[in-house]
Amino acid sequence: MKWGKRIGAAVVGMAAVLGVVTAPAQAVTAAAAPDISLANVKAHLSALQTIANQNGGNRASGRPGYPASVSYVAQKLRDAGYNVTLQSCTSCAGSNQNIIAEWPQGDANQVIMLGAHLDSVSAGPGINDNGSGSASILEVALTLARENPAMAKRVRFGWWADEESGLRGSKFYVNSLPQTERTKIKTYLNFDMIGSDNWGYFVYDDVASVKAVFDEYFRTIGIQTEGDTEGDGRSDHASFKSAGIPVGGLATGAGYTKSAAQQQKWGGTAGRPFDSCYHRACDTLSNIPDTPLEKNSDAIAYAVWKLAVGTSTGPDFSLGLSPSSGTVQAGQSATVTVNTATTSGAAQAVSLSASGLPAGATATFNPASVQSGGSSTLTIATSASTPNGTTTITVTGDGTSVDRTAQYTLTVGDVSVRTFTNGTDFALNDYATVNSPITSSATGAATSPVKVSITGTHTCSEDLRISLKAPDGSTYSVKPTGSLPCTDLGTRTYSVPVTNEAASGTWTLVLYDAYAQDTGTLDSWTITV
């Protein structure tokens, strides 16, 4: 039987029978938080383990497993209706991203923020450190979206890059906030390692009033806590604390040794570390017991409901976009799913509109209005005259009682760019094949087609045969856009139907004329995406 969830004063009565010192019944009843599904938390951990398995055994910042972890978490949040921002951390290893997700309800000037670092060490998959904190706050966030309570304060979640190299992601986020935005964060709660195999129950003791919220929950289930001394200054709450933001959080212990007194209090094994796989390859799914993971996840939800959930003031709804950003070339269209959810009161009719479109772009909704809880497809169509650049488009849901907005970031112009460099003359002789290495650098994934422009003079009996070889060995045939005379080559444009590939490195342009009569020199070529 689980205590402390939706049973109010009954919890106090049972705890009193057991001789546990309890908080007043009113305090416990006020935070009627839902039970957080242990199965769902473990499913997130399983996904993170799979990501590590597929990416060299870890999810370290600067390694492929980290952006894969970001994609998993961010998509779950977008699907639930959160406003999600991926913040590029330029001071992090590999310039990886923080995830910032905000539930669009409650007073935006009073923010309760929860965070956990999403990266692991390079030695292992980091399922306790810190998949446990990351998965738990993700499920709390998804539960908040499903429950849709009326909110007194705004709730914001953060998943941090590169904690393991010195709290870099959280430092970058805090340092990037203007002072006016920092003051809106009334409390930051941090969760770093909450599923240790030889666990304790540690509560950050930086701010007594914040610690009291967690202690209140643990008292209702008969668990004593201790202040967390091992984590002082060693996790992401330190970034917020140094900026003057009140902090709190939970931990179950890392490399410190459990004492005999702590064994008496919590069970487990004295003389052993709280986490025997701390920063090791064995920090896998098998390193996570259910008990601390479940109780700490429920404690997180208790704190959110206690600190941020308010009394309903009337019908309301949320509005979210999936995805929240996109890139198109001029003349192309972007498709966005507009999700709504009833957050309090009865469902209401919501009319949808978009503003802030770039020149030459139009927006259509299908359908143009929904009942809150429904969804619509937004199509943003650009024209050939739409200028390159990035625009923030505001989508407005005009409800019968309230209006809600969400932002979509549209980039026109290919930001997935390859730059190819080649400035050498290459002689093409009889029956010759020229293999020209071309240095390329890439950002993002290439789009199709690639256009090849060749400048030079070539006398021949047949058209040139040209192919492009990618760094992974793939070969693409080059076809001219029109007929190609053999004499006076001049400047010719060819196209290559390259599929999406993110490939920096050495590409090879291969030119072949099996029936060349004279020596021709091809001066140079450029390749653009």
Side-chain angles (χ1 to χ4, degrees):
M1 180 178 179
K2 296 176 182 177
W3 303 345
K5 306 172 190 72
R6 304 187 182 281
I7 50 180
V11 173
V12 179
M14 187 175 293
V17 170
L18 296 174
V20 179
V21 177
T22 64
Q26 182 179 3
V28 176
T29 306
D35 182 18
I36 300 302
S37 167
L38 175 63
N40 288 355
V41 176
K42 293 173 70 174
H44 301 318
L45 290 176
S46 180
L48 295 178
Q49 177 73 66
T50 298
I51 287 169
N53 293 345
Q54 294 172 344
N55 291 278
N58 66 74
R59 299 178 301 100
S61 195
R63 306 288 183 88
Y66 183 79
S69 301
V70 168
S71 296
Y72 174 81
V73 173
Q75 192 57 53
K76 291 286 186 183
L77 294 162
R78 291 191 185 104
D79 291 345
Y82 277 83
N83 293 332
V84 178
T85 300
L86 300 184
Q87 180 191 46
S88 294
C89 173
T90 57
S91 59
C92 294
S95 297
N96 277 317
Q97 295 173 313
N98 294 322
I99 306 172
I100 310 299
E102 187 161 303
W103 186 240
Q105 302 297 329
D107 186 349
N109 292 313
Q110 298 187 73
V111 176
I112 304 299
M113 189 165 189
L114 294 79
H117 74 87
L118 187 55
D119 63 319
S120 72
V121 293
S122 59
I127 300 304
N128 185 34
D129 185 14
N130 183 37
S132 60
S134 294
S136 293
I137 67 168
L138 174 58
E139 189 55 33
V140 169
L142 300 181
T143 302
L144 181 66
R146 288 192 295 267
E147 292 282 320
N148 292 327
M151 304 301 295
K153 297 178 183 178
R154 190 65 56 98
V155 178
R156 185 182 302 163
F157 296 84
W159 286 261
W160 310 120
D162 211 8
E163 185 267 358
E164 298 291 0
S165 297
L167 320 181
R168 291 181 181 176
S170 58
K171 286 180 181 177
F172 183 87
Y173 172 75
V174 173
N175 290 340
S176 69
L177 288 175
Q179 184 58 36
T180 54
E181 292 300 316
R182 291 186 189 182
T183 59
K184 292 178 182 179
I185 303 176
K186 304 306 178 185
T187 306
Y188 171 77
L189 305 176
N190 193 66
F191 306 97
D192 189 352
M193 302 180 65
I194 58 171
S196 304
D197 63 337
N198 191 30
W199 67 90
Y201 291 97
F202 298 101
V203 180
Y204 295 6
D205 54 5
D206 302 84
V207 179
S209 60
V210 179
K211 182 177 186 295
V213 173
F214 290 113
D215 285 343
E216 180 179 86
Y217 171 77
F218 283 111
R219 279 197 300 269
T220 69
I221 58 173
I223 290 177
Q224 300 178 63
T225 67
E226 290 185 8
D228 181 35
T229 57
E230 183 177 9
D232 282 349
R234 293 179 55 187
S235 193
D236 294 296
H237 62 291
S239 302
F240 290 81
K241 184 178 179 179
S242 65
I245 297 170
V247 300
L250 301 174
T252 51
Y256 280 18
T257 300
K258 177 176 279 190
S259 69
Q262 290 168 330
Q263 180 188 33
Q264 285 291 108
K265 187 185 301 183
W266 299 317
T269 305
R272 282 187 52 228
F274 289 100
D275 183 355
S276 57
C277 287
Y278 177 54
H279 282 190
R280 297 174 60 195
C282 59
D283 187 8
T284 64
L285 280 175
S286 60
N287 188 42
I288 296 275
D290 289 352
T291 299
L293 190 65
E294 179 178 29
K295 295 188 185 305
N296 280 282
S297 296
D298 289 341
I300 296 169
Y302 184 93
V304 171
W305 260 252
K306 180 81 172 180
L307 296 174
V309 172
T311 303
S312 174
T313 56
D316 204 349
F317 69 95
S318 64
L319 181 71
L321 305 177
S322 179
S324 59
S325 63
T327 299
V328 298
Q329 293 180 349
Q332 295 180 338
S333 298
T335 302
V336 186
T337 300
V338 182
N339 297 306
T340 67
T342 302
T343 57
S344 65
Q348 58 188 289
V350 179
S351 298
L352 299 169
S353 62
S355 59
L357 294 162
T362 60
T364 57
F365 294 87
N366 184 23
S369 63
V370 297
Q371 281 289 104
S372 57
S375 62
S376 176
T377 300
L378 164 62
T379 301
I380 302 172
T382 65
S383 66
S385 63
T386 301
N388 288 348
T390 298
T391 305
T392 299
I393 298 170
T394 298
V395 176
T396 299
D398 184 2
T400 55
S401 58
V402 294
D403 296 342
R404 296 297 174 205
T405 61
Q407 278 70 48
Y408 179 82
T409 303
L410 175 69
T411 300
V412 178
D414 195 354
V415 296
S416 300
V417 175
R418 288 203 189 104
T419 301
F420 295 80
T421 303
N422 182 290
T424 305
D425 291 349
F426 286 88
L428 185 61
N429 300 315
D430 289 354
Y431 302 97
T433 299
V434 172
N435 290 274
S436 168
I438 304 170
T439 302
S440 70
S441 60
T443 59
T447 57
S448 179
V450 168
K451 294 182 179 179
V452 182
S453 296
I454 299 179
T455 302
T457 300
H458 176 58
T459 303
C460 61
S461 59
E462 284 197 355
D463 292 347
L464 288 174
R465 302 177 188 179
I466 306 172
S467 62
L468 186 66
K469 183 177 291 186
D472 65 0
S474 302
T475 299
Y476 302 97
S477 297
V478 178
K479 298 180 179 179
T481 56
S483 61
L484 175 65
C486 290
T487 59
D488 191 21
L489 184 64
T491 299
R492 301 294 173 185
T493 300
Y494 305 79
S495 64
V496 187
V498 179
T499 56
N500 287 352
E501 291 187 47
S504 297
T506 299
W507 289 63
T508 303
L509 188 65
V510 182
L511 298 98
Y512 174 57
D513 183 357
Y515 301 98
Q517 295 174 332
D518 301 309
T519 298
T521 299
L522 301 174
D523 294 330
S524 63
W525 45 80
T526 59
I527 306 177
T528 59
V529 176

